[in-house]
Amino acid sequence: MGRERKFNTGDLFHETKKLVIQAGYEGFTIGQLATQLGVTRAAIYKYYQNKDELLLDFMIEEMRNTIESLSSIPTELPFLEKIDILLKKIFASKELHLILGMQHVISTKGAPLLEAKKEKLSSMHGELYRPLIHIVHQGKNEGHIEKDMPDELLLGFIFQSISIPNHSGMEDEQVLNYTKKLILNGIQQNK
């Protein structure tokens, strides 16, 4: 018997992301993942008891990476530069909403480890918005955003608008530019 091919967490999560986006929760299997990595299923089961545990760890890592990316926006920039960077960063991780939606399918009944991982994901949602609240407040202070606009609603709108499917076939950069216009100017024609 030959030596088992080695893989690291980065490889594991990279292939998991590709498979999850392609096949969804129901279509994702440890067997497919093992094939993509060139390892046996047993090699993956050494680290994870089942696909749900693996997927929750993957979601936590995706959330951690997104929070880190969004938190890296320089604080000294003016609002319009920050919102541009923010939208590009959110657009770069537009699959996050799809990925995180899988957690609702995962049953934690009788599985305290899975329950703890889901609780961790839930707590990370607050961390996701925390660095962005400062950008919204800056936009309000600089006169770009109406002061009475609820922060959470505005941030939710920004995140959701990036998740809108591109059925028109436009280039990503064009979609990003139109999304930015809609967020900053709405649908009213400038007069």
Side-chain angles (χ1 to χ4, degrees), residues 51-103:
K51 88 175 190 178
D52 291 340
E53 183 182 351
L54 166 66
L55 288 173
L56 284 169
D57 274 358
F58 161 67
M59 287 183 248
I60 289 168
E61 184 64 18
E62 283 291 301
M63 183 71 99
R64 185 177 291 123
N65 291 339
T66 302
I67 290 167
E68 186 176 299
S69 174
L70 297 178
S71 297
S72 72
I73 298 172
T75 56
E76 68 277 0
L77 295 176
F79 171 77
L80 290 176
E81 288 183 42
K82 281 185 185 175
I83 197 75
D84 190 52
I85 294 169
L86 171 64
L87 291 173
K88 286 177 182 172
K89 286 179 177 281
I90 294 172
F91 197 78
S93 59
K94 62 185 170 187
E95 294 94 3
L96 185 65
H97 186 71
L98 168 78
I99 291 167
L100 294 178
M102 290 185 308
Q103 69 180 304

Side-chain angles (χ1 to χ4, degrees), residues 15-51:
E15 292 302 324
T16 297
K17 184 174 187 173
K18 286 185 353 189
L19 287 171
V20 161
I21 290 170
Q22 178 185 351
Y25 175 81
E26 295 298 328
F28 177 86
T29 67
I30 296 288
Q32 288 174 328
L33 180 60
T35 300
Q36 290 300 113
L37 290 168
V39 300
T40 64
R41 290 187 329 211
I44 296 171
Y45 283 122
K46 286 180 187 176
Y47 301 97
Y48 293 99
Q49 293 179 23
N50 55 50
K51 88 175 190 178

Side-chain angles (χ1 to χ4, degrees), residues 149-167:
M149 182 75 63
D151 296 345
E152 291 78 15
L153 180 63
L154 181 59
L155 289 172
F157 179 79
I158 291 170
F159 275 103
Q160 293 302 320
S161 62
I162 297 296
S163 300
I164 296 171
N166 180 8
H167 296 298

Side-chain angles (χ1 to χ4, degrees), residues 121-171:
L121 263 177
S122 181
S123 73
M124 292 176 88
H125 275 279
E127 292 177 47
L128 185 65
Y129 278 19
R130 197 169 298 126
L132 307 182
I133 294 289
H134 298 292
I135 295 173
V136 169
H137 289 172
Q138 181 179 356
K140 288 178 178 182
N141 292 334
E142 291 180 14
H144 297 287
I145 301 173
E146 291 181 27
K147 290 199 181 277
D148 65 342
M149 182 75 63
D151 296 345
E152 291 78 15
L153 180 63
L154 181 59
L155 289 172
F157 179 79
I158 291 170
F159 275 103
Q160 293 302 320
S161 62
I162 297 296
S163 300
I164 296 171
N166 180 8
H167 296 298
S168 65
M170 281 188 279
E171 296 290 325

